[in-house]
Amino acid sequence: MAGSDEVNRNECRTLVPLHHWVLISNFKVAYTMLRRADGTFDRDLDEYHDLRVPPDARAQEGVSSFDHVIDPSVGLDVRIYRPAPAANNNNNNNAGAAAVTLRILDFLTGGPSPDPFPVILFFHGGSFAHSVPSTSIYDHLCRRFAKLSKGGVVISVNYRRAPEHRYPCAYDDGWAALNWATSQPFLRSGPDARARVFLAGDSSGGNIAHHVAVKAADAGIRICGNILINAMFGGMELTESERRLDRKFFVTLQDREWYWRAYLPKDADRDHPACNPFGPNGRRLRGLPFPKSLVVVSGLDPTCDRQLAYADVLREDGHHVKVVCREKATIGFYLLPITDDYHVVMQEIADFLDANVY
Ligand SMILES: C=C1C[C@]23C[C@H]1CC[C@H]2[C@@]12CC[C@H](O)[C@@](C)(C(=O)O1)[C@H]2[C@@H]3C(=O)O
């Protein structure tokens, strides 16, 4: 019967490439075990399930990474990806490790570079509750961004997660990370020696990028661009795509409702401005020096209408937006390099960085 779970599951399987289906279905099964009906979350099991990888300061396909605490008072840390230093030292001995540590220190204490390069402040997805920068899928994605940015630095922020830490903790951490990034001489570049920061994120990370960008615009901090990938927004009134695609492609409205309840203040509903930034309690951005946006949308994501409407409102308010909507893509398509959608979007991101790193 049309609309039944059976039909939906089959439809999903035939339309989504097998590797992608397996990847996201596994996440879905695990996440369903982690969320409890009373709103609490099994963080111990989550830590166990979450597949993480260590940083690697040696050159891996031209990119090296390391973890760095940016605010010891609250323990906020980031994973930094940067072009690998010229000498590729793959030794596993102590001398090799010491050389790598020295190179990291040199990098962190270095001065501005004359050639402009982008600094991508990245917020991983996971609906505000899951994942960290070292989660394998996000480590891979950030490496990819570092490579396509041609000499750029990616800073993946380990923001606090819900339900242990509700709104506005994730935004506060994003804001702290932005302030840190703009104050570091080693992240400055170009003739005017300033940090050329792009904010980027997928799912909840896209939501965080938006809210940090608003705060930056209010504070007069210039952001070169915003990259929102399947950004997580919501609202009390359901959109057409939410009705049509609910339960069909991995994510359900019921799942989303759980995550909003975990993140938003206890008495808030989905029209809270964190969730519905241009909704009845939201704020329009006309006249604000808001950055240019690249809005990446999957046509089979139930919230695709919302993301397209987000882009429309930005445009109506006089801001520059490029929408890249991949009609047949589902959530998480940018995590595996196995489809045209993946390659098209990566190229769009590379072009967006290139065009706006002035
Ligand atoms: C309950 C969730 C949360 C999902 C959707 C659904 C099942 C799979 C999850 C992930 C898991 C992998 C990525 O983090 C993600 C961004 C993705 O693409 O799929 C997640 C997504 C989300 O947080 O928005």
Side-chain angles (χ1 to χ4, degrees), residues 24 27-28 31 35 125-127 130-131 137-138 202-204 232 250-251 255-256 259 331-335:
I24 304 296
F27 278 113
K28 184 169 171 66
Y31 288 9
R35 296 188 303 265
S127 304
H130 305 273
S131 291
I137 49 169
Y138 287 112
D202 69 314
S203 170
S204 48
M232 182 169 154
F250 308 117
V251 68
D255 299 340
R256 282 278 190 253
Y259 291 111
I331 53 158
F333 76 93
Y334 47 86
L335 298 169

Side-chain angles (χ1 to χ4, degrees), residues 227-255:
I227 303 172
L228 270 58
I229 308 172
N230 290 4
M232 182 169 154
F233 296 118
M236 291 305 284
E237 199 182 322
L238 294 186
T239 62
E240 190 277 323
S241 66
E242 282 169 336
R243 287 203 195 86
R244 178 169 42 91
L245 297 169
D246 184 25
R247 303 171 66 97
K248 289 201 173 179
F249 294 96
F250 308 117
V251 68
T252 69
L253 294 180
Q254 208 183 359
D255 299 340

Side-chain angles (χ1 to χ4, degrees), residues 110-281:
S113 131
D115 298 325
F117 65 81
V119 173
I120 304 164
L121 200 60
F122 179 75
F123 304 102
H124 64 78
S127 304
F128 293 102
H130 305 273
S131 291
V132 286
S134 59
T135 299
S136 167
I137 49 169
Y138 287 112
D139 185 75
H140 274 85
L141 187 62
C142 286
R143 273 180 181 282
R144 173 66 55 170
F145 288 164
K147 265 164 66 178
L148 62 76
S149 73
K150 298 189 210 103
V153 173
V154 177
I155 297 171
S156 182
V157 183
N158 196 7
Y159 61 87
R160 283 168 292 172
R161 293 164 302 169
E164 298 92 324
H165 303 282
R166 288 172 177 275
Y167 166 92
C169 292
Y171 303 158
D172 288 348
D173 291 348
W175 178 240
L178 173 62
N179 281 299
W180 174 83
T182 52
S183 70
Q184 300 302 304
F186 78 100
L187 293 175
R188 297 196 182 139
S189 66
D192 49 355
R194 82 189 152 73
R196 296 169 143 74
V197 178
F198 290 79
L199 300 171
D202 69 314
S203 170
S204 48
N207 175 299
I208 297 170
H210 165 79
H211 287 284
V212 173
V214 173
K215 217 167 163 171
D218 278 337
I221 296 180
R222 195 182 142 206
I223 300 294
C224 293
N226 258 7
I227 303 172
L228 270 58
I229 308 172
N230 290 4
M232 182 169 154
F233 296 118
M236 291 305 284
E237 199 182 322
L238 294 186
T239 62
E240 190 277 323
S241 66
E242 282 169 336
R243 287 203 195 86
R244 178 169 42 91
L245 297 169
D246 184 25
R247 303 171 66 97
K248 289 201 173 179
F249 294 96
F250 308 117
V251 68
T252 69
L253 294 180
Q254 208 183 359
D255 299 340
R256 282 278 190 253
E257 178 62 13
W258 189 96
Y259 291 111
W260 285 121
R261 279 190 191 286
Y263 178 61
L264 295 176
K266 281 212 158 101
D267 52 351
D269 65 18
R270 292 191 313 272
D271 279 336
H272 186 280
C275 174
N276 195 0
F278 303 138
N281 308 314

